[in-house]
Amino acid sequence: MAAQTAFEGALRRDRVLVVSGLLAVVALSWAYLFVGAGVRMDEMDGMLMPVHVGLWTPGYALLMFLMWATMMAAMMLPSAAPMILLYGTIARCRQAKGEVAMASGAFTFGYAAIWFVFSFFAVAVQFALEKGALLSPTMGSTSVALSGAVLIAVGLYQWTPLKQACLRQCRSPLEFVMTQWCEGARGAFRMGLRHGAYCVGCCWLLMLLLFVGGIMNLAWVAVLALFILVEKVVPAGHWIGRAAGVGLIVWGSATLATL
């Protein structure tokens, strides 16, 4: 009984530590976005708007990468929290002397690393759109055709087998742990990479909606983050995602009809 009580106490401490760490990272990420993500802001027509340097210097490209990487942490870590907490719980059960916090951190870092790689490609897309004069000062699409096409593409993807397969992995943490378990901190990092890959497969096209609503539009960013959380953790989330897909197709079609 004493051993069981000690184990439960250790498990509670692990969970508090992991939750506190995740909350801190998410809060700092949102704070960084709220203060402009390092992008210089000037007043235009009575509103604060981002001012581009004009040239895509290495420094500016790095700034954009940091903005995307921070945004991915702010948006995706909340929906990954159930998986990270479950991993920590099982790690505590399997490691008598375990460095559980370190292993959970390695898992989280592996998960985030995949999204950081995605951020590199997102910056490349942003660069191409800016060079094509297709982005507004808030980094949203200025092309009706592009916006409509993106909305329809995202809506269709919500119904594809690939989307559903990746979403199933994101919605079933226990199944993922049972089939993908690796011991130790290195194993935790590999598991984080795999889970992050499923998550990117599930959500990568949704991130293109940021170019529709505006990357600097934090209300839009928050709506997308909330939708991703609902899709992954609510019992009927997969059906909500499909219903949203239908809505996006209708929205995109209506947008293209204005051409």
Side-chain angles (χ1 to χ4, degrees):
M1 180 65 70
Q4 183 177 0
T5 302
F7 172 80
E8 291 173 349
L11 184 58
R12 281 194 297 270
R13 287 193 297 271
D14 292 340
R15 294 176 74 87
V16 168
L17 184 61
V18 172
V19 170
S20 299
L22 287 174
L23 287 175
V25 172
V26 171
L28 289 172
S29 297
W30 278 105
Y32 181 69
L33 296 176
F34 271 112
V35 299
V39 178
R40 187 163 60 90
M41 308 288 283
D42 277 0
E43 188 169 348
M44 299 172 59
D45 298 326
M47 297 180 62
L48 286 177
M49 304 288 281
V51 177
H52 291 224
V53 176
L55 295 175
W56 273 73
T57 63
Y60 185 71
L62 176 60
L63 182 65
M64 291 299 98
F65 172 78
L66 291 175
M67 179 188 71
W68 274 98
T70 303
M71 192 180 302
M72 294 304 98
M75 295 177 69
M76 303 311 303
L77 283 179
S79 65
M83 178 70 247
I84 297 170
L85 288 172
L86 178 63
Y87 170 83
T89 300
I90 296 177
R92 166 60 66 181
C93 294
R94 294 175 66 92
Q95 300 177 24
K97 300 180 180 179
E99 298 169 347
V100 178
M102 182 181 297
S104 296
F107 183 98
T108 305
F109 185 73
Y111 176 84
I114 291 293
W115 281 106
F116 293 163
V117 172
F118 171 85
S119 298
F120 173 81
F121 290 101
V123 171
V125 172
Q126 181 184 340
F127 171 79
L129 292 176
E130 281 201 14
K131 289 302 179 182
L134 294 173
L135 290 185
S136 70
T138 57
M139 303 180 192
S141 171
T142 59
S143 167
V144 174
L146 176 63
S147 296
V150 169
L151 289 167
I152 292 174
V154 176
L156 290 173
Y157 186 70
Q158 291 293 103
W159 285 83
T160 62
L162 177 59
K163 162 74 180 192
Q164 295 304 314
C166 291
L167 179 60
R168 191 158 48 248
Q169 291 291 332
C170 294
R171 288 177 53 82
S172 306
L174 183 58
E175 178 182 349
F176 176 84
V177 169
M178 292 177 64
T179 58
Q180 305 288 336
W181 184 265
C182 298
E183 294 288 354
R186 290 184 180 180
F189 179 76
R190 289 196 297 270
M191 289 177 65
L193 288 175
R194 292 171 188 168
H195 189 64
Y198 282 121
C199 195
V200 169
C202 173
C203 302
W204 72 276
L205 211 57
L206 284 169
M207 295 306 171
L208 293 185
L209 293 176
L210 291 170
F211 291 111
V212 176
I215 302 170
M216 298 299 292
N217 183 350
L218 292 189
W220 183 241
V221 175
V223 167
L224 280 178
L226 180 60
F227 171 75
I228 290 169
L229 180 63
V230 167
E231 190 178 41
K232 287 186 177 182
V233 304
V234 170
H238 58 298
W239 288 112
I240 293 173
R242 288 179 173 179
V246 174
L248 289 169
I249 293 170
V250 172
W251 184 6
S253 300
T255 299
L256 291 179
T258 63
L259 289 174

